[in-house]
Amino acid sequence: MPKNRNTFSFLARWPRRAASCAVHHGWAWAQRVGAVTAEHPGRLRFGAIGEGTRLAFPQGTVFGEPWIELGAHCIIGEQVTLTAGMMPDLDLGPEPILTLGDGVVLGRGSHVIADTTVTIGSDTYCGPYVYITSTNHSYDDPHEPVGKQWPRMEPVAIGPGCWIGTGAVILPGARLGRNVVVAAGAVVRGEVADHAVVAGAPARVVRSWDPEKGWQPPLRTPAPVPIPEGVTPEQLLALADMDEASETS
């Protein structure tokens, strides 16, 4: 009797398992086919898209592509919005409006809104849900709804090698130097010097690099252990496999 009950239970679960497998395989196929690359741009016609750059599927809102230039080996996560201009189908002139350097990473759900020039330097990494915009609503007229007042626009420039944490907001007119760290949830406006760490809303500098004294205030974490000379990538991968095996055993 228990054997029959197990058989009936398996038969009852089989259609759901089959449907679940079909859905997951179908979604994986859609992600592969729906990704945007230089070789397979789909409906998107960017001003430039470099070798190895990939926009994951599904994409967020994308318009003004002729004025968007993406460097090589960029990683654009799912549901990332990239826009140039205030609305689609505008003629924005001969120059690019939104420019990403080589190796830029934009995490899932991030937004880059370029109504005027936005530049993100090479090897800048953005966590999920980062919001970068060159436009702010104005509220000069106290009698008019804020959403109906003409917005203000200022260019945004983010230097190379920056790290922008999850949920950070980069406001119009922001100018970040090289290798700037923006803490999660920070709201950044104005100028940030090279090699600074900013946090808070509004963001302020909480740590900076001094060529003579090093990081001020000093880092509280131990310095990373350098990889010994002569160690090959294959050996590092083998060590990682050994660690994984020891954790699962």
Side-chain angles (χ1 to χ4, degrees):
M1 201 54 187
K3 185 180 293 185
N4 290 340
R5 194 158 44 240
N6 289 340
T7 300
F8 290 137
S9 177
F10 170 78
L11 291 175
R13 291 196 305 268
W14 183 85
R16 183 180 179 89
R17 287 185 176 180
S20 177
C21 288
V23 168
H24 283 284
H25 283 297
W27 182 248
W29 175 85
Q31 286 180 308
R32 289 194 301 272
V33 174
V36 170
T37 64
E39 295 78 16
H40 304 285
R43 64 176 180 82
L44 301 176
R45 294 295 181 269
F46 290 103
I49 178 169
E51 178 186 3
T53 287
R54 182 183 180 91
L55 284 75
F57 178 85
Q59 291 90 39
T61 300
V62 180
F63 63 76
E65 313 91 273
W67 292 273
I68 299 176
E69 295 190 353
L70 310 177
H73 305 291
C74 295
I75 300 173
I76 314 297
E78 296 178 11
Q79 297 290 359
V80 169
T81 289
L82 299 172
T83 65
M86 295 190 69
M87 61 188 69
D89 302 322
L90 297 177
D91 186 348
L92 304 177
E95 300 298 325
I97 301 298
L98 171 56
T99 305
L100 272 60
D102 296 341
V104 170
V105 175
L106 297 177
R108 172 197 292 268
S110 293
H111 288 58
V112 185
I113 311 299
D115 293 338
T116 188
T117 307
V118 173
T119 303
I120 302 178
S122 298
D123 299 315
T124 285
Y125 288 19
C126 299
Y129 308 107
V130 167
Y131 193 90
I132 301 170
T133 180
S134 64
T135 302
N136 234 344
H137 290 289
S138 57
Y139 50 88
D140 303 58
D141 187 345
H143 307 294
E144 187 73 13
V146 173
K148 292 184 177 181
Q149 298 188 44
W150 193 254
R152 289 190 173 90
M153 305 176 192
E154 291 186 75
V156 172
I158 299 173
C162 292
W163 179 276
I164 302 177
T166 300
V169 178
I170 311 297
L171 293 175
R175 298 175 303 281
L176 279 61
R178 174 184 295 273
N179 286 20
V180 169
V181 175
V182 177
V187 179
V188 183
R189 61 180 301 174
E191 189 162 354
V192 180
D194 294 351
H195 311 296
V197 180
V198 297
R204 62 183 182 86
V205 176
V206 296
R207 180 170 278 118
S208 57
W209 172 260
D210 184 282
E212 297 181 358
K213 299 178 181 179
W215 286 106
Q216 297 298 315
L219 297 174
R220 291 174 291 181
T221 53
V225 178
I227 298 173
E229 292 185 13
V231 175
T232 65
E234 292 76 14
Q235 290 172 323
L236 290 175
L237 289 172
L239 286 172
D241 291 340
M242 289 175 60
D243 289 340
E244 186 176 344
S246 64
E247 289 176 0
T248 56
S249 61

